[in-house]
Amino acid sequence: MKTMSEPINFEALDACHQQIHAHLTELAALAQHVEANGVDVAAQHQAAAIEAFFSGTSREHHAEEEKNVFPPLLASGNAELVAAVRSLQQDHGWIEENWIEIAPRLRAMATGSNWVDPAEFQQYAEVFLALCHGHIALEESLIYPESKARWAQSVAQRVTEKPRRIR
């Protein structure tokens, strides 16, 4: 088994997933609110918070997964894991591509601009929500548990190995 050199902060990754879920709920509510009421002050604040989170924290989360969680699983030789990770990597691309469409609309709403078409925004939000929810479900059901188990095994292996003395 290939040992992992850098510790993975699973608590932070799991906490970020909780934050993502909360912001996805807010995005869904915002899309409905804007469709029903237009861009009011409440929508402005909500749009700004959602945009800031997904443009910053969420992107950093994906980078962390790409750097620390995915590589050991890709090197595992397990075809199911490799296929799942490749799918998640593709998801990251689709999520980013969809985000590139949503982010400017959220920034416009945050500044009170009314050029955003509410029905179009609702469609973009629905696609983004579906992508993110499916992505997180695969990570939490397969990838994170497997990665955590492999990390624990790597740590246990290091503890049981006796250090060699250099003579």
Side-chain angles (χ1 to χ4, degrees):
M1 169 182 210
K2 183 179 177 180
T3 60
M4 299 177 196
S5 59
E6 193 171 325
I8 300 171
N9 187 343
F10 290 109
E11 286 181 9
L13 292 171
D14 289 336
C16 191
H17 275 186
Q18 294 306 311
Q19 293 173 357
I20 290 170
H21 280 298
H23 283 86
L24 291 173
T25 299
E26 290 292 316
L27 177 62
L30 175 64
Q32 291 177 352
H33 178 86
V34 169
E35 185 127 46
N37 305 306
V39 178
D40 57 16
V41 174
Q44 288 178 305
H45 292 296
Q46 196 171 26
I50 293 166
E51 194 279 329
F53 176 80
F54 283 108
S55 288
T57 303
S58 184
R59 281 179 163 161
E60 292 165 10
H61 173 81
H62 288 171
E64 176 74 15
E65 290 173 337
E66 295 279 350
K67 179 183 175 194
N68 293 315
V69 177
F70 294 169
L73 300 177
L74 288 170
S76 71
N78 180 315
E80 179 187 7
L81 283 176
V82 170
V85 171
R86 293 281 183 227
S87 176
L88 291 170
Q89 288 175 317
Q90 187 176 40
D91 285 354
H92 282 172
W94 287 116
I95 289 167
E96 179 65 19
E97 194 169 307
N98 194 248
W99 184 247
I100 289 170
E101 295 295 329
I102 294 174
R105 288 163 173 79
L106 286 168
R107 284 191 294 275
M109 284 187 241
T111 61
S113 177
N114 286 317
W115 66 261
V116 176
D117 177 76
E120 182 181 73
F121 179 71
Q122 178 75 31
Q123 290 174 343
Y124 281 120
E126 287 172 3
V127 170
F128 189 75
L129 292 164
L131 283 168
C132 290
H133 285 302
H135 179 84
I136 290 173
L138 180 56
E139 285 180 344
E140 291 181 349
S141 67
L142 177 64
I143 299 304
Y144 280 19
E146 185 66 30
S147 186
K148 289 173 184 177
R150 288 172 182 267
W151 178 254
Q153 186 177 2
S154 175
V155 169
Q157 184 178 9
R158 280 188 248 151
V159 168
T160 60
E161 289 177 354
K162 295 182 179 176
R164 295 183 182 174
R165 294 180 75 114
I166 300 175
R167 295 179 191 220

